[in-house]
Amino acid sequence: MYQDHLRKEAREAPESGIVAVANRGRLKPGLIPLWAGEGDLPTPDFIASAAAQALKGGETFYTWQRGIPELREALARYFERHFGTDDGPDNFVVCVGGMQAIQMAIDATCGAGDEAIFFAPAWPNFAGAAGVAGVRPIAVPLDRSPNGWALDMERVAAAVTPRTRAIFVNSPANPTGWTADLDTLKALLDLARRSGMWIIADEIYAHFHYGGGRAPSFIDIEETGDRILYVNSFSKNWAMTGWRMGWVRIPAEFKQVFENLVQYSTSGVPQFLQRGAVVALDNGDTFLAEQVARARHARDLVCRILADTGRVSLTPPQGAFYLMFGIDGVSDSRTAAFDMVENAAVGLAPGSAFGPEGEGLFRLCFHRRLDQIEEAAHRIAGWIGSR
């Protein structure tokens, strides 16, 4: 076949199981879409207006590859405010979304034939990006119990081989809501130090933490010389998913390396978009706090309605804004998700989209208006009752 002439890693890049369900139901009238990892609010005007003004003002030329100085300075202020760091602008590289941040972190730490560990069920994009780069992704399953999800450090240590170059740690996690405590983070960092591995820390949901305050971070325990790259995005905190903007927090001495990685991929982020991002960081704390409170209420509501069916197994997530749950008697999550689109007018992500460890489960994004979450939960309950 003609396609056989393409690179094997590109040919075998997995299709998204989330997109497959979304494509089935995207145009269905009245459907409540809870399959994607985003809220239902548009970007607030105070952010959008700053970008629109810059666009109208002619900020449409090539710009700083690492991000405009004003944005990198705003990132330093944001981290000082929320994480107590003393970072400077050289500790940050701006990129096209959290996905490019992950790709750059992989490219900087791993190569063809290397291995990278991640915890499953998992957002599929890390494993997919690693595979395209020729890196073998190694899944370490999280343990699921009535008390929630947990990580077995002995299992993580057993997965390390001489080829392991990195551990991808998404906490709070998509799709499970698993959130590492400080002891777990210390154990992971100790393992990385002993084994000479990198940690790629995805802390995009750090503020969506329901245990009070932000979630524990590797920043709380890191020391100079630790091999940690932090990948993040503007998407979740400030309702900016469609802007495709993210960043990597790096040791300042890596700035030229990461600038080069930007140069040979996207060559940078539009300057007028970066103006909006500056305002989001500097003036967006109130909006962010409101979103976290809203998500907490939605979490509690959907968990109560589904638990009342008596046929749903769930534990309220510690963080992020997803509920991963099982339904008694349902084992094929993809087929069931398609059926819910057609017969309940609710769109969920099938657990199989997050690896074999997620099969038989469903991911529901509850970061939406309470009335929509309530209606969606009752529709799901009705679908369960009809089986």
Side-chain angles (χ1 to χ4, degrees), residues 106-183:
I106 292 170
D107 289 344
T109 60
C110 305
D114 290 338
E115 296 176 353
I117 292 171
F118 68 101
F119 310 141
W123 180 55
N125 289 36
F126 173 77
V132 170
V135 179
R136 184 183 175 208
I138 304 296
V140 172
L142 293 166
D143 292 323
R144 182 171 180 254
S145 75
N147 295 321
W149 299 85
L151 180 66
D152 184 338
M153 280 303 305
E154 291 185 3
R155 192 177 290 169
V156 179
V160 176
T161 76
R163 291 184 176 273
T164 308
R165 295 289 178 268
I167 302 178
F168 180 74
V169 183
N170 173 214
S171 174
N174 173 10
T176 60
W178 169 78
T179 303
D181 58 23
L182 274 180
D183 287 341

Coordinates of all heavy atoms in Angstrom, one line a residue, residues 106-183:
I106 N 9.5 15.7 25.7 CA 9.9 14.3 25.2 C 11.1 14.5 24.4 O 12.1 13.7 24.5 CB 8.7 13.7 24.5 CG1 7.6 13.3 25.4 CG2 9.2 12.4 23.7 CD1 6.3 12.9 24.7
D107 N 11.1 15.4 23.4 CA 12.3 15.6 22.5 C 13.5 15.9 23.2 O 14.6 15.5 22.8 CB 11.9 16.6 21.5 CG 10.9 16.2 20.5 OD1 10.6 15.0 20.4 OD2 10.3 17.1 19.8
A108 N 13.4 16.6 24.4 CA 14.6 17.1 25.1 C 15.2 16.0 26.0 O 16.4 16.0 26.3 CB 14.2 18.3 26.0
T109 N 14.4 15.0 26.3 CA 14.8 14.0 27.3 C 14.9 12.5 26.8 O 15.6 11.7 27.3 CB 13.9 14.0 28.5 OG1 12.5 13.6 28.1 CG2 13.8 15.3 29.2
C110 N 14.2 12.2 25.7 CA 14.1 10.9 25.2 C 14.3 10.8 23.7 O 14.1 11.8 23.0 CB 12.7 10.3 25.5 SG 12.1 10.3 27.2
G111 N 14.8 9.6 23.3 CA 15.0 9.4 21.9 C 14.5 8.0 21.4 O 14.0 7.3 22.2
A112 N 14.6 7.8 20.2 CA 14.2 6.5 19.6 C 14.8 5.3 20.4 O 16.0 5.3 20.6 CB 14.5 6.4 18.1
G113 N 14.0 4.4 20.8 CA 14.5 3.2 21.5 C 14.4 3.4 23.0 O 14.6 2.4 23.8
D114 N 14.3 4.6 23.5 CA 14.2 4.9 25.0 C 12.8 4.5 25.4 O 11.8 4.3 24.6 CB 14.5 6.3 25.3 CG 15.9 6.7 25.1 OD1 16.8 5.8 25.1 OD2 16.2 7.9 24.9
E115 N 12.6 4.5 26.8 CA 11.3 4.3 27.4 C 10.9 5.4 28.3 O 11.8 6.1 28.9 CB 11.3 3.0 28.2 CG 11.6 1.7 27.3 CD 11.7 0.5 28.1 OE1 11.8 0.6 29.4 OE2 11.8 -0.6 27.6
A116 N 9.6 5.6 28.4 CA 9.0 6.7 29.3 C 7.8 6.1 30.0 O 7.0 5.5 29.4 CB 8.6 7.9 28.5
I117 N 7.8 6.2 31.3 CA 6.7 5.7 32.2 C 5.6 6.7 32.3 O 5.9 7.9 32.5 CB 7.3 5.3 33.5 CG1 8.3 4.1 33.4 CG2 6.2 4.9 34.5 CD1 9.1 3.8 34.7
F118 N 4.4 6.2 32.3 CA 3.2 7.0 32.7 C 2.2 6.1 33.5 O 2.4 4.9 33.5 CB 2.6 7.6 31.4 CG 1.9 6.6 30.6 CD1 0.5 6.4 30.6 CD2 2.6 5.8 29.7 CE1 -0.1 5.5 29.8 CE2 2.0 4.8 28.9 CZ 0.6 4.7 28.9
F119 N 1.3 6.8 34.1 CA 0.3 6.1 35.0 C -1.0 6.0 34.3 O -1.6 7.0 33.8 CB 0.2 6.8 36.3 CG 1.5 7.1 37.0 CD1 1.8 8.3 37.6 CD2 2.6 6.2 36.9 CE1 3.0 8.6 38.2 CE2 3.8 6.5 37.5 CZ 4.0 7.6 38.1
A120 N -1.6 4.8 34.3 CA -2.8 4.6 33.5 C -4.0 4.1 34.4 O -3.7 3.5 35.5 CB -2.6 3.5 32.5
P121 N -5.2 4.4 34.1 CA -5.7 5.1 32.8 C -5.1 6.5 32.7 O -5.0 7.2 33.7 CB -7.2 5.1 33.0 CG -7.5 4.2 34.1 CD -6.4 4.2 35.0
A122 N -4.9 6.9 31.5 CA -4.2 8.2 31.2 C -4.7 8.9 30.0 O -5.2 8.2 29.0 CB -2.7 7.9 31.1
W123 N -4.7 10.2 30.0 CA -4.9 11.0 28.8 C -4.0 10.4 27.7 O -2.8 10.2 28.0 CB -4.6 12.4 29.2 CG -4.7 13.4 28.1 CD1 -5.9 13.6 27.3 CD2 -3.7 14.3 27.6 NE1 -5.6 14.6 26.4 CE2 -4.3 15.1 26.6 CE3 -2.4 14.6 28.0 CZ2 -3.6 16.1 25.9 CZ3 -1.7 15.6 27.3 CH2 -2.3 16.3 26.3
P124 N -4.6 10.1 26.6 CA -3.8 9.3 25.6 C -2.7 10.0 24.9 O -1.8 9.4 24.3 CB -4.9 8.8 24.6 CG -6.0 9.8 24.7 CD -6.0 10.2 26.2
N125 N -2.7 11.4 25.0 CA -1.8 12.1 24.2 C -0.3 12.0 24.6 O 0.6 12.1 23.7 CB -2.1 13.6 24.2 CG -3.4 13.8 23.4 OD1 -4.3 13.0 23.4 ND2 -3.5 14.9 22.7
F126 N 0.0 11.7 25.8 CA 1.4 11.5 26.2 C 2.0 10.3 25.5 O 3.0 10.3 24.8 CB 1.7 11.5 27.7 CG 3.1 11.1 28.0 CD1 4.1 12.1 27.9 CD2 3.5 9.8 28.4 CE1 5.4 11.7 28.1 CE2 4.8 9.5 28.6 CZ 5.8 10.5 28.5
A127 N 1.3 9.2 25.7 CA 1.7 7.9 25.1 C 1.8 8.0 23.6 O 2.7 7.5 22.9 CB 0.8 6.8 25.5
G128 N 0.8 8.7 23.0 CA 0.8 8.9 21.5 C 1.9 9.7 21.0 O 2.6 9.3 20.1
A129 N 2.2 10.8 21.7 CA 3.3 11.6 21.3 C 4.7 10.9 21.5 O 5.6 11.1 20.7 CB 3.3 12.9 22.1
A130 N 4.8 10.2 22.6 CA 6.0 9.4 22.8 C 6.2 8.4 21.7 O 7.3 8.2 21.1 CB 6.0 8.7 24.2
G131 N 5.2 7.7 21.3 CA 5.3 6.7 20.3 C 5.7 7.3 19.0 O 6.5 6.7 18.2
V132 N 5.1 8.4 18.6 CA 5.4 9.1 17.3 C 6.9 9.4 17.3 O 7.6 9.4 16.3 CB 4.6 10.3 17.1 CG1 5.1 11.1 15.9 CG2 3.1 9.9 16.8
A133 N 7.5 9.8 18.5 CA 8.9 10.2 18.6 C 9.8 8.9 18.6 O 11.0 9.1 18.7 CB 9.1 11.0 19.9
G134 N 9.2 7.7 18.6 CA 10.0 6.5 18.6 C 10.3 6.0 20.0 O 11.1 5.1 20.2
V135 N 9.7 6.7 21.0 CA 9.9 6.3 22.4 C 8.8 5.3 22.8 O 7.7 5.5 22.5 CB 9.8 7.6 23.3 CG1 10.0 7.2 24.8 CG2 10.9 8.6 22.9
R136 N 9.2 4.3 23.6 CA 8.2 3.3 24.0 C 7.6 3.7 25.3 O 8.2 3.8 26.4 CB 9.0 2.0 24.2 CG 8.0 0.8 24.6 CD 8.8 -0.5 24.9 NE 7.9 -1.5 25.3 CZ 8.2 -2.5 26.1 NH1 9.5 -2.6 26.5 NH2 7.3 -3.4 26.5
P137 N 6.3 4.0 25.3 CA 5.5 4.4 26.5 C 5.2 3.2 27.3 O 4.7 2.2 26.8 CB 4.3 5.1 26.0 CG 4.0 4.4 24.6 CD 5.4 4.0 24.1
I138 N 5.5 3.2 28.6 CA 5.3 2.1 29.5 C 4.3 2.5 30.6 O 4.5 3.4 31.4 CB 6.6 1.7 30.3 CG1 7.8 1.4 29.3 CG2 6.4 0.5 31.2 CD1 7.5 0.2 28.4
A139 N 3.1 1.8 30.5 CA 2.0 2.1 31.4 C 2.2 1.4 32.8 O 2.4 0.2 32.8 CB 0.7 1.7 30.8
V140 N 2.1 2.1 33.8 CA 2.0 1.6 35.2 C 0.6 1.8 35.7 O 0.2 2.9 35.9 CB 3.0 2.2 36.1 CG1 2.8 1.7 37.6 CG2 4.4 1.9 35.7
P141 N -0.2 0.7 35.9 CA -1.6 0.9 36.2 C -1.8 1.5 37.6 O -1.1 1.1 38.6 CB -2.2 -0.5 36.2 CG -1.2 -1.3 35.3 CD 0.1 -0.7 35.6
L142 N -2.7 2.4 37.8 CA -3.1 2.9 39.1 C -4.1 1.8 39.7 O -4.8 1.1 38.9 CB -3.9 4.2 39.0 CG -3.1 5.4 38.5 CD1 -4.0 6.6 38.1 CD2 -2.1 5.9 39.6
D143 N -4.1 1.7 41.0 CA -5.0 0.8 41.6 C -6.3 1.5 41.9 O -6.3 2.6 42.4 CB -4.4 0.3 43.0 CG -3.2 -0.6 42.8 OD1 -3.2 -1.4 41.8 OD2 -2.2 -0.5 43.6
R144 N -7.4 0.8 41.6 CA -8.7 1.4 41.8 C -9.5 0.6 42.9 O -9.5 -0.6 42.9 CB -9.6 1.4 40.5 CG -11.0 2.0 40.6 CD -11.6 2.1 39.3 NE -13.0 2.7 39.4 CZ -14.1 2.0 39.2 NH1 -14.1 0.7 39.0 NH2 -15.2 2.7 39.3
S145 N -10.0 1.4 43.8 CA -10.8 0.8 44.9 C -11.9 1.7 45.3 O -12.0 2.8 44.8 CB -9.8 0.6 46.2 OG -9.6 1.8 46.8
P146 N -12.8 1.3 46.2 CA -13.9 2.2 46.7 C -13.3 3.5 47.3 O -14.1 4.5 47.4 CB -14.6 1.3 47.7 CG -14.4 -0.1 47.3 CD -13.0 -0.1 46.8
N147 N -12.1 3.5 47.7 CA -11.5 4.7 48.2 C -10.8 5.6 47.2 O -10.2 6.6 47.5 CB -10.4 4.3 49.3 CG -11.0 3.6 50.5 OD1 -12.1 4.0 50.9 ND2 -10.3 2.6 51.0
G148 N -10.9 5.2 45.9 CA -10.3 6.0 44.8 C -9.2 5.3 44.2 O -9.0 4.1 44.3
W149 N -8.3 6.1 43.6 CA -7.2 5.6 42.8 C -5.9 5.8 43.6 O -5.8 6.8 44.4 CB -7.1 6.4 41.5 CG -8.2 6.2 40.6 CD1 -9.4 7.0 40.6 CD2 -8.4 5.3 39.5 NE1 -10.3 6.5 39.6 CE2 -9.7 5.5 39.0 CE3 -7.6 4.3 39.0 CZ2 -10.1 4.7 37.9 CZ3 -8.1 3.5 38.0 CH2 -9.3 3.7 37.4
A150 N -5.0 4.9 43.5 CA -3.7 5.0 44.2 C -2.6 4.5 43.4 O -2.8 3.6 42.5 CB -3.8 4.1 45.5
L151 N -1.4 4.9 43.7 CA -0.2 4.5 42.9 C 0.7 3.6 43.8 O 1.0 4.0 44.9 CB 0.6 5.8 42.5 CG 1.9 5.5 41.7 CD1 1.6 5.0 40.4 CD2 2.7 6.8 41.6
D152 N 1.0 2.5 43.2 CA 1.9 1.5 43.9 C 3.3 1.8 43.5 O 3.8 1.6 42.4 CB 1.5 0.1 43.5 CG 2.3 -1.0 44.2 OD1 3.4 -0.7 44.7 OD2 1.8 -2.1 44.3
M153 N 4.1 2.4 44.4 CA 5.5 2.8 44.1 C 6.4 1.6 43.7 O 7.3 1.7 43.0 CB 6.1 3.6 45.2 CG 5.7 5.0 45.3 SD 6.1 5.9 43.7 CE 7.8 5.6 43.5
E154 N 6.1 0.4 44.3 CA 6.9 -0.8 44.0 C 6.7 -1.1 42.5 O 7.6 -1.6 41.8 CB 6.5 -1.9 44.9 CG 6.9 -1.8 46.3 CD 6.6 -3.0 47.2 OE1 6.1 -4.0 46.6 OE2 6.9 -3.0 48.4
R155 N 5.4 -1.0 42.0 CA 5.1 -1.2 40.6 C 5.9 -0.2 39.7 O 6.3 -0.6 38.7 CB 3.6 -1.2 40.4 CG 3.2 -1.7 39.1 CD 1.6 -1.7 39.0 NE 1.0 -2.7 39.9 CZ -0.3 -2.7 40.2 NH1 -1.1 -1.8 39.7 NH2 -0.8 -3.6 41.0
V156 N 5.9 1.0 40.2 CA 6.7 2.0 39.4 C 8.1 1.7 39.3 O 8.7 1.7 38.2 CB 6.5 3.4 40.0 CG1 7.3 4.5 39.2 CG2 5.0 3.8 40.1
A157 N 8.7 1.3 40.4 CA 10.2 1.0 40.5 C 10.4 -0.2 39.6 O 11.5 -0.3 38.9 CB 10.6 0.7 41.9
A158 N 9.5 -1.2 39.6 CA 9.7 -2.4 38.8 C 9.7 -2.1 37.3 O 10.2 -2.9 36.5 CB 8.7 -3.5 39.2
A159 N 9.0 -1.0 36.9 CA 8.9 -0.7 35.5 C 10.1 0.0 34.9 O 10.3 0.1 33.7 CB 7.7 0.2 35.3
V160 N 11.0 0.4 35.8 CA 12.2 1.1 35.4 C 13.2 0.1 34.8 O 13.5 -1.0 35.4 CB 12.9 1.9 36.6 CG1 14.2 2.5 36.1 CG2 11.9 2.9 37.1
T161 N 13.8 0.4 33.6 CA 14.8 -0.4 33.0 C 16.0 0.5 32.6 O 15.9 1.7 32.7 CB 14.3 -1.1 31.7 OG1 14.2 -0.1 30.7 CG2 12.9 -1.7 32.0
P162 N 17.1 -0.1 32.1 CA 18.2 0.8 31.7 C 17.8 1.7 30.6 O 18.5 2.7 30.3 CB 19.2 -0.2 31.2 CG 19.0 -1.5 32.0 CD 17.5 -1.5 32.2
R163 N 16.7 1.5 29.9 CA 16.2 2.3 28.8 C 15.3 3.5 29.2 O 14.9 4.3 28.4 CB 15.5 1.5 27.7 CG 16.5 0.6 26.9 CD 15.7 -0.1 25.8 NE 16.6 -1.0 25.0 CZ 17.3 -0.5 24.0 NH1 17.2 0.7 23.6 NH2 18.1 -1.3 23.3
T164 N 14.9 3.4 30.5 CA 13.9 4.4 31.0 C 14.6 5.8 31.1 O 15.6 5.9 31.8 CB 13.3 4.0 32.3 OG1 12.8 2.7 32.2 CG2 12.2 5.0 32.7
R165 N 14.0 6.8 30.4 CA 14.6 8.1 30.5 C 13.7 9.1 31.2 O 14.2 10.2 31.6 CB 14.8 8.6 29.0 CG 15.9 7.8 28.3 CD 17.3 8.1 28.8 NE 18.3 7.3 28.2 CZ 18.7 6.1 28.5 NH1 18.2 5.6 29.6 NH2 19.6 5.4 27.9
A166 N 12.4 8.8 31.3 CA 11.5 9.8 31.9 C 10.3 9.2 32.5 O 9.9 8.1 32.1 CB 11.1 10.8 30.8
I167 N 9.7 9.9 33.5 CA 8.4 9.5 34.1 C 7.5 10.7 33.9 O 7.9 11.8 34.3 CB 8.5 9.2 35.6 CG1 9.5 8.0 35.8 CG2 7.2 8.8 36.2 CD1 9.7 7.7 37.3
F168 N 6.4 10.4 33.3 CA 5.4 11.5 33.1 C 4.4 11.4 34.2 O 3.7 10.4 34.5 CB 4.6 11.2 31.8 CG 3.6 12.3 31.4 CD1 3.9 13.5 31.0 CD2 2.2 11.9 31.5 CE1 3.0 14.5 30.7 CE2 1.3 12.9 31.2 CZ 1.6 14.2 30.8
V169 N 4.3 12.5 35.0 CA 3.4 12.6 36.2 C 2.4 13.7 36.0 O 2.7 14.8 36.1 CB 4.3 12.8 37.5 CG1 3.3 12.8 38.7 CG2 5.4 11.8 37.6
N170 N 1.2 13.2 35.8 CA 0.1 14.2 35.6 C -0.7 14.1 36.9 O -1.4 13.1 37.2 CB -0.8 13.7 34.4 CG -2.1 14.5 34.3 OD1 -3.1 14.0 33.9 ND2 -2.1 15.8 34.6
S171 N -0.6 15.2 37.7 CA -1.3 15.2 39.0 C -1.7 16.7 39.3 O -0.8 17.6 39.3 CB -0.4 14.7 40.1 OG -1.0 14.9 41.4
P172 N -3.0 16.9 39.6 CA -4.2 16.0 39.5 C -4.3 15.4 38.1 O -4.0 16.1 37.1 CB -5.3 16.9 39.9 CG -4.7 17.9 40.8 CD -3.4 18.2 40.2
A173 N -4.8 14.2 38.0 CA -4.8 13.5 36.8 C -6.0 13.5 36.0 O -7.1 13.5 36.5 CB -4.4 12.0 37.1
N174 N -5.8 13.5 34.7 CA -6.9 13.3 33.7 C -6.6 11.8 33.2 O -5.6 11.5 32.7 CB -6.7 14.3 32.5 CG -7.6 14.0 31.3 OD1 -8.5 13.2 31.4 ND2 -7.3 14.7 30.2
P175 N -7.6 10.9 33.3 CA -9.0 11.1 33.6 C -9.5 10.8 35.0 O -10.7 11.0 35.3 CB -9.7 10.1 32.6 CG -8.7 9.0 32.7 CD -7.4 9.6 32.8
T176 N -8.6 10.3 35.8 CA -9.0 9.7 37.1 C -9.3 10.7 38.2 O -10.0 10.3 39.2 CB -8.0 8.7 37.6 OG1 -6.8 9.4 37.8 CG2 -7.8 7.6 36.5
G177 N -8.7 11.8 38.2 CA -8.7 12.7 39.3 C -7.7 12.4 40.4 O -7.6 13.1 41.4
W178 N -6.9 11.3 40.2 CA -5.9 10.9 41.2 C -5.0 12.1 41.4 O -4.6 12.8 40.5 CB -5.1 9.7 40.6 CG -3.8 9.5 41.4 CD1 -3.7 8.8 42.6 CD2 -2.5 9.8 41.1 NE1 -2.4 8.8 43.1 CE2 -1.6 9.4 42.1 CE3 -1.9 10.5 40.0 CZ2 -0.3 9.6 42.1 CZ3 -0.5 10.7 40.0 CH2 0.3 10.2 41.0
T179 N -4.6 12.3 42.7 CA -3.8 13.5 43.0 C -2.7 13.0 44.0 O -3.0 12.4 45.1 CB -4.6 14.6 43.7 OG1 -5.6 15.0 42.8 CG2 -3.7 15.8 44.0
A180 N -1.5 13.1 43.6 CA -0.4 12.7 44.4 C -0.2 13.6 45.7 O -0.2 14.8 45.5 CB 0.9 12.7 43.6
D181 N 0.0 12.9 46.8 CA 0.3 13.7 48.0 C 1.8 14.0 48.0 O 2.6 13.4 47.2 CB -0.2 13.0 49.3 CG 0.4 11.6 49.4 OD1 1.5 11.3 48.9 OD2 -0.2 10.8 50.2
L182 N 2.3 14.7 49.0 CA 3.7 15.1 49.0 C 4.6 13.9 49.2 O 5.7 13.8 48.6 CB 4.0 16.1 50.1 CG 3.8 17.6 49.8 CD1 4.1 18.5 51.0 CD2 4.7 18.0 48.6
D183 N 4.2 12.9 50.0 CA 5.0 11.7 50.2 C 5.2 10.9 48.9 O 6.2 10.4 48.6 CB 4.3 10.8 51.2 CG 4.4 11.3 52.6 OD1 5.3 12.2 52.9 OD2 3.7 10.9 53.5

